[in-house]
Amino acid sequence: MKKKWVILLVTAVLFLAACSGGPGGGPDTESSSEEADTADAAQLADELSVYNWADYIDEELLAQYEEEYGVRIIYDTFASNEDLLAKLQAGATGYDVIVPSDYMVAQMIELGLLAEIDLDDIPNFANIDEDFRNAPFDPDNRHCVPYQWGTTGIAYRAGHPLFTETAPDSWAYLFEPELLEQYAEGGINVLNDQRELIAAALFYLGHSPNATDRTQLEEARDLIARAKPYWKTFNSEDYDDSLLIADEVVLSQSWSGDAANAYWSTYSDETEDGNWYYAIPKEGAVKWMDNLCVTASSEKVETAVHFINYLLDAENGAAITNFTYYASPNEAAKAYIEPDILSDPGIYPPPEVEANLQWLTELGDGLFVWDEMWTAIKGQ
Ligand code: SPD
């Protein structure tokens, strides 16, 4: 029996999407994207260092690239944009390709941490959906190209008595003590990510997720302080495997793809269902996009750009999404992405959900207040 794809998605109206289908079969024809094999392999460096989010690529692709082009990939992972930034600011110069999110791209451009790229060297950029090009955080894609995108919502354990009748369709399920005390024993996880956690609190309070007003941020800090005693863990790195799939928690703030991974990893042919569902809170949620960029300190820009072009190939882009369960900004890849993923509203949200999503943006000087709040939250 083939996998069935079921993700519960909640907006103002709750709906369940269940669809079936086999593994993605693209057309039998050659990929429409240009192959990345035009570069003279002799000009490529022997090694390339790639720094990415945890569990965010099918490492088979890296092995294929190594084999095809004779470039050894040194691969390392980080847990948050802030960790990535701290590493670069601490003077780490070894990284060539990095994968910051939207607001962090803007921050890094301002800090001079990213190299400029020439899109003529990335012919597979033509595969990227127009809607994801030329984003405000990097006009004309002068520094980065889109990698994957998603949303931030709530993953919850199917079958938990409290969530069978009512899905946790509000950030209240993360912040309100009278709700938390009903399932805290089963375990609650939040993302160890300052922009994401404070943004969730701001959404719940009816403020902008990019607020820089001190009073609003203090309100968010206090809301979090009241809820924190009920939370078991702050984990944004391996929570899908170590907490959700392992049944160590019953509810978690979650990125869309990680929730889908938990669903499929617990899927049973017998029940035709998985153990984890995903809800987008009705107060609003974050939509984000991660990007492939070259560091300003890289001495292997040509190889870095060649590798980026390889990842933007239609079939390779699909292999990434089929592994991570995150949405792809690669339009040409859709022909090779599993139909169950493409039709999942938890991964590709429908327009009425999209309308309730917001991007995180650069905070400018407001960042100092956010840092202060985060230090207080983590120190409490
Ligand atoms: N496990 C991979 C997670 C990648 C998530 N990137 C999210 C960035 C949101 N600000």
Side-chain angles (χ1 to χ4, degrees):
M1 168 120 204
K2 298 268 164 62
K3 282 176 173 181
K4 244 190 196 175
W5 192 237
V6 187
I7 289 289
L8 197 61
L9 178 71
V10 180
T11 56
V13 178
L14 177 75
F15 63 94
L16 180 73
C19 4
S20 63
D28 286 331
T29 53
E30 291 264 8
S31 160
S32 62
S33 56
E34 283 192 50
E35 285 300 325
D37 56 6
T38 47
D40 179 353
Q43 288 172 5
L44 298 175
D46 293 340
E47 285 183 346
L48 188 74
S49 172
V50 178
Y51 198 29
N52 195 359
W53 297 81
D55 288 330
Y56 213 27
I57 198 165
D58 180 351
E59 295 199 20
E60 188 53 37
L61 269 186
L62 303 179
Q64 272 172 34
Y65 183 80
E66 290 183 322
E67 199 182 332
E68 201 166 332
Y69 297 104
V71 178
R72 190 172 148 250
I73 303 284
I74 301 158
Y75 191 74
D76 198 3
T77 62
F78 57 85
S80 73
N81 282 300
E82 286 65 32
D83 285 359
L84 165 64
L85 177 65
K87 196 84 168 237
L88 295 189
Q89 285 187 314
T93 51
Y95 299 114
D96 300 301
V97 176
I98 56 173
V99 193
S101 307
D102 34 63
Y103 72 90
M104 185 51 74
V105 168
Q107 228 171 296
M108 286 183 164
I109 291 173
E110 229 172 85
L111 292 166
L113 293 171
L114 301 182
E116 288 212 15
I117 53 174
D118 184 344
L119 291 180
D120 289 344
D121 297 330
I122 309 183
N124 286 336
F125 183 74
N127 291 337
I128 299 296
D129 186 332
E130 292 278 353
D131 287 350
F132 292 99
R133 300 185 194 184
N134 190 25
F137 56 80
D138 182 26
D140 299 321
N141 294 93
R142 279 198 289 274
H143 301 83
C144 306
V145 299
Y147 178 62
Q148 297 258 271
W149 67 273
T151 60
T152 310
I154 294 176
Y156 60 101
R157 182 65 162 85
H160 187 283
L162 203 75
F163 312 137
T164 44
E165 303 251 307
T166 320
D169 61 346
S170 162
W171 290 116
Y173 284 85
L174 217 55
F175 297 120
E176 283 300 343
E178 60 270 29
L179 284 170
L180 293 165
E181 63 196 14
Q182 298 178 53
Y183 44 85
E185 210 181 21
I188 297 163
N189 176 60
V190 294
L191 294 175
N192 191 17
D193 184 304
Q194 71 178 85
R195 290 299 304 267
E196 292 283 9
L197 185 60
I198 297 175
L202 289 167
F203 273 120
Y204 182 56
L205 293 166
H207 303 315
S208 160
N210 298 300
T212 53
D213 176 87
R214 174 173 281 277
T215 312
Q216 295 181 352
L217 287 166
E218 285 176 350
E219 249 186 280
R221 176 204 59 197
D222 294 346
L223 182 72
I224 291 171
R226 281 194 298 276
K228 192 180 166 191
Y230 297 93
W231 299 340
K232 181 176 176 181
T233 38
F234 279 70
N235 184 329
S236 49
E237 196 159 15
D238 65 351
Y239 64 100
D240 46 347
D241 293 321
S242 70
L243 299 176
L244 276 55
I245 296 166
D247 264 341
E248 290 292 329
V249 294
V250 294
L251 183 135
S252 176
Q253 186 186 19
S254 177
W255 287 313
S256 44
D258 293 341
N261 177 40
Y263 175 83
W264 278 115
S265 301
T266 55
Y267 184 86
S268 138
D269 280 343
E270 209 171 300
T271 57
E272 298 188 356
D273 205 0
N275 290 347
W276 286 88
Y277 292 165
Y278 180 64
I280 299 276
K282 60 188 174 202
E283 296 88 0
V286 168
K287 173 183 183 176
W288 47 262
M289 183 166 78
D290 296 328
N291 306 273
L292 296 161
C293 316
V294 183
T295 59
S297 62
S298 172
E299 289 173 354
K300 298 166 186 169
V301 177
E302 203 175 326
T303 310
V305 161
H306 182 264
F307 175 72
I308 288 174
N309 189 58
Y310 173 82
L311 296 185
L312 261 51
D313 167 82
E315 289 179 68
N316 294 343
I320 294 166
T321 283
N322 289 336
F323 178 87
T324 64
Y325 298 102
Y326 283 102
S328 178
N330 188 325
E331 185 59 30
K334 286 190 174 159
Y336 306 95
I337 293 176
E338 295 202 18
D340 290 340
I341 292 181
L342 286 177
S343 62
D344 186 319
I347 297 176
Y348 288 91
E352 66 274 20
V353 178
E354 280 256 15
N356 211 16
L357 301 174
Q358 290 190 54
W359 296 96
L360 295 179
T361 56
E362 200 199 358
L363 299 168
D365 286 346
L367 183 57
F368 295 111
V369 192
W370 278 69
D371 282 345
E372 187 189 320
M373 297 304 137
W374 187 243
T375 306
I377 290 164
K378 291 306 288 286
Q380 274 156 0

